[in-house]
Amino acid sequence: MSVAPVVQSGPAQSRPTRVMIVDDSAVIRGMIARWLTEAGGFEIVATASNGRMAVDSAERSKPEIILLDIEMPEVDGLAALPMILKAHPASKVIVISTLTQRNAEISLKCLSLGAVDYLAKPESARAAGAAADFRRDLIEKLRALGETKSRQARVLAPVIPVASTSFAPPAARPGTVRPQCLLIGSSTGGPRAVERVLLDLKPALSTIPVLIVQHMPAMFTAVFAEHLQALLSVPAREARDGDAVAPGTILVAPGGRHMGVVSSGGKAVIRLNDGPPENFCRPAVDVLFREAAGVFGASAIAAVLTGMGSDGTHGARHLTKAGATIIAQDEATSIVWGMPGSIVKAGLAHEILPLESIGRSLKGHITGSSK
């Protein structure tokens, strides 16, 4: 499956995004460089075959985005990451690794150290479908991060004032039904955002179930759930079909499967399915939101955090019609303001908040307290 170049327009897109590729395989470095050149809008400013070279190159070439392999000689990606960010803090680092339990754990550790996203690298060139998916995801993620860079540049550069972009008016305040289930949808930059929200919400986590759709490949979601449990000291796991949706439990949608909710015997239970991707995503936030609206109605509360694309917007319409509350992360604190931005532009957000305020707001809704 080929990836068609995206035509860029306007002055904000006139300068290509500066990219550095760090991988011990010359074949991988050349392949990625070729893909980005063919896609257009990117400039390969440096390549490196190990972490030590990457640190030196980052300081000299000042890349805006760095693709960082994990397994490399001399200095691996995990060790190199903090040094790279110290040498050039403005870089956005995407970790690339093959899908193994160990690499999933290391990739999540890299996110906690400052990487903004991760990509599953095909294990071999023979997996043509996997290579096509990797290429598509790679270009989409870099485009999204490049657009974020362009928006920041417009804010910092002197400009002639123009009429502000008009979004749909915020959704009307829902009723005062106490939330009985918290739904969270996120993608690029999501793991750290989810952690922050749940840490701020921690005192109230024992009173409500939390269902999370974070766009992640299989294997990563189980590791992410284990990480949340260790971080929060609250039961958290990858969801299984038939799991009860119970207060004090965090369930993460498994990579590669949709997670929905149904009512069975008067209780809410998880239903997993292998249906086609929605918004090119599986799991999709839309599936969770749509089905949760039918089960919880006005007693659901949802947070849409940083992420590329518009997954969640269709499902949020169902939640809004059911009387549920929706909180969207603001643009300034989002790594990519795609998913929450789509919610805001559609007029479905009841609150638009910086990341550091979302947990506090959720806690207020859930406990009935303003503090």
Side-chain angles (χ1 to χ4, degrees):
M1 166 176 157
S2 62
V3 178
V6 175
V7 178
Q8 300 177 344
S9 61
Q13 296 292 338
S14 59
R15 185 172 63 82
T17 299
R18 298 166 59 83
V19 180
M20 180 169 79
I21 304 167
V22 185
D23 197 293
D24 63 336
S25 167
V27 172
I28 294 293
R29 294 196 305 272
M31 179 179 69
I32 292 176
R34 185 178 71 253
W35 288 346
L36 297 184
T37 300
E38 291 171 354
F42 304 104
E43 178 187 1
I44 311 303
V45 295
T47 62
S49 59
N50 61 59
R52 192 179 307 283
M53 291 174 62
V55 175
D56 295 337
S57 294
E59 194 166 14
R60 289 196 313 271
S61 60
K62 305 276 188 294
E64 290 159 319
I65 299 176
I66 298 174
L67 300 174
L68 180 66
D69 187 23
I70 287 178
E71 298 175 303
M72 296 182 293
E74 294 190 45
V75 177
D76 63 18
L78 179 61
L81 177 61
M83 294 187 285
I84 288 171
L85 292 177
K86 183 178 180 181
H88 189 48
S91 294
K92 290 183 171 65
V93 179
I94 297 178
V95 174
I96 54 176
S97 68
T98 51
L99 276 176
T100 66
Q101 177 83 11
R102 177 177 177 274
N103 284 349
E105 292 169 355
I106 294 173
S107 295
L108 287 175
K109 177 66 174 176
C110 287
L111 293 180
S112 71
L113 293 174
V116 299
D117 210 349
Y118 44 81
L119 266 174
K121 187 166 58 173
E123 292 186 21
S124 68
R126 58 183 168 78
D133 290 343
F134 177 62
R135 174 177 179 167
R136 182 195 63 240
D137 292 345
L138 173 71
I139 292 172
E140 286 180 351
K141 286 180 187 292
L142 266 63
R143 288 240 187 267
L145 290 172
E147 288 168 5
T148 300
K149 174 261 298 182
S150 296
R151 284 199 303 271
Q152 292 170 342
R154 289 199 298 272
V155 170
L156 295 173
V159 296
I160 299 173
V162 295
S164 61
T165 302
S166 59
F167 295 148
R173 278 279 182 181
T176 57
V177 177
R178 187 71 63 85
Q180 299 299 311
C181 185
L182 170 59
L183 315 168
I184 298 178
S186 54
S187 184
T188 308
R192 279 198 292 169
V194 170
E195 288 176 15
R196 174 62 192 268
V197 168
L198 294 183
L199 279 170
D200 291 343
L201 183 59
K202 186 177 178 181
L205 286 177
S206 63
T207 68
I208 193 168
V210 181
L211 306 181
I212 301 171
V213 173
Q214 162 67 45
H215 295 159
M216 277 180 163
M219 197 175 305
F220 276 64
T221 43
V223 173
F224 181 48
E226 292 169 4
H227 172 71
L228 291 177
Q229 178 164 297
L231 178 71
L232 300 164
S233 300
V234 171
R237 65 175 183 273
E238 191 177 64
R240 300 172 300 225
D241 194 63
D243 274 344
V245 179
T249 301
I250 300 170
L251 297 176
V252 179
R257 305 198 72 190
H258 289 309
M259 180 174 74
V261 190
V262 298
S263 182
S264 178
K267 296 181 180 180
V269 297
I270 294 296
R271 280 291 176 263
L272 302 179
N273 74 77
D274 301 316
E278 297 191 20
N279 306 298
F280 305 100
C281 303
R282 190 173 63 202
V285 180
D286 272 336
V287 173
L288 175 62
F289 282 9
R290 184 172 63 241
E291 297 193 11
V295 173
F296 291 100
S299 66
I301 187 166
V304 181
L305 307 179
T306 174
M308 56 185 280
S310 61
D311 187 25
T313 300
H314 178 71
R317 296 185 194 281
H318 290 263
L319 286 172
T320 299
K321 288 178 182 177
T325 300
I326 301 174
I327 298 173
Q329 186 175 350
D330 71 358
E331 183 173 9
T333 62
S334 295
I335 298 297
V336 177
W337 204 54
M339 287 166 52
S342 180
I343 295 287
V344 172
K345 293 168 187 175
L348 300 172
H350 300 98
E351 297 174 24
I352 306 161
L353 299 174
L355 180 61
E356 61 270 19
S357 300
I358 293 175
R360 184 169 65 249
S361 177
L362 289 170
K363 181 182 174 186
H365 285 284
I366 292 165
T367 64
S369 168
S370 59
K371 296 182 179 180

